[in-house]
Amino acid sequence: MIKKIRIYSIYAALGISLLMILTSGSVLFMSKFYLTTVKTHDFIGGSVPEYASGTALNLVFALSLTAFLAVLIFKSLFKKSSSPEVFFILVAVAALSLEGLRALIYLSYFYGWMYRVYLILPRVIYFGKLITALALFISGLFSTGFPVQKQNIFLGLSFIFSILLSSTVPIDYSINANILLPGDKTPYVIQKVIYGLYILSALNYFAAVSINKNKYFLVIGLGVVLFALGTELVFPLTGGIYLILGFFCLGTGLSLIYYTINKIYSWI
């Protein structure tokens, strides 16, 4: 039963990440060849913010592409092992791909009938951020020796917790063009929970070094830190050195995690 759920979850993660790259890519294509001629609706102030005119969409597409490729790569690990650590890292990366929904929020700058989408999608995106942080945390828990049979329970609880928190925390719906999300302020309650889960995720892997007598878990912990740092640096879409550093940390962290898990389970 656990194996079937894991397989279905993996293909669902792959499907979601593929859908997100197609969504962000389609909006990016439309923005270059069509949307600049469409009159914006009054509810967003009558004009498209300058920063949202192209750069942010390119970055959202790049993030969606990164997440999709990472899901494909981590999926290949399941041909060699059923490690719950890898499974939940794959879930974390797949949830990161939900950032691609910011491209649909971009469309709401042009079409007033998308106002409902404008109100709902931010919660879905923050739901994805919570799932990413929780999946990293759960992956770390299993590295310390939690029973493999608990995977379904943890996966279900993580979804329930993320749905409840993302759907109940107030979100400021004023315009913030820089991140293609409503709100001049992010939901601070959610951000504090996310940062706390990132810290606990790394601590779990650092503790696994002593529990498993294996120094490679320290490298995975470092990879988790870099992955978490990268996602937070990329999230504002502000450009410049912070964005470059963010993508570097994201790629380096995922590479360290992938390579080291191969080492631990002797898959190379």
Side-chain angles (χ1 to χ4, degrees), residues 108-169:
S108 69
Y109 292 138
F110 295 88
Y111 300 107
W113 54 266
M114 292 190 70
Y115 183 70
R116 292 183 182 276
V117 170
Y118 179 84
L119 295 177
I120 296 172
L121 288 186
R123 297 194 180 278
V124 180
I125 293 167
Y126 283 114
F127 164 81
K129 284 177 65 65
L130 283 164
I131 287 291
T132 293
L134 276 166
L136 290 176
F137 168 67
I138 295 170
S139 177
L141 278 181
F142 280 108
S143 74
T144 62
F146 266 66
V148 174
Q149 293 79 7
K150 302 284 186 181
Q151 292 176 71
N152 294 350
I153 296 174
F154 278 109
L155 183 63
L157 288 176
S158 66
F159 273 83
I160 292 173
F161 176 78
S162 298
I163 290 172
L164 289 175
L165 187 55
S166 62
S167 63
T168 56
V169 171

Side-chain angles (χ1 to χ4, degrees), residues 152-229:
N152 294 350
I153 296 174
F154 278 109
L155 183 63
L157 288 176
S158 66
F159 273 83
I160 292 173
F161 176 78
S162 298
I163 290 172
L164 289 175
L165 187 55
S166 62
S167 63
T168 56
V169 171
I171 294 180
D172 174 16
Y173 285 107
S174 57
I175 298 298
N176 188 330
N178 286 351
I179 62 174
L180 295 184
L181 278 175
D184 290 325
K185 299 179 180 179
T186 56
Y188 288 113
V189 173
I190 291 181
Q191 284 302 123
K192 288 179 180 178
V193 171
I194 289 171
Y195 294 154
L197 289 170
Y198 285 154
I199 293 171
L200 291 174
S201 302
L203 291 177
N204 280 330
Y205 273 109
F206 295 154
V209 176
S210 174
I211 294 172
N212 297 294
K213 309 298 182 184
N214 192 327
K215 62 182 179 181
Y216 285 119
F217 282 102
L218 182 64
V219 181
I220 297 181
L222 177 60
V224 168
V225 170
L226 289 174
F227 174 66
L229 179 61

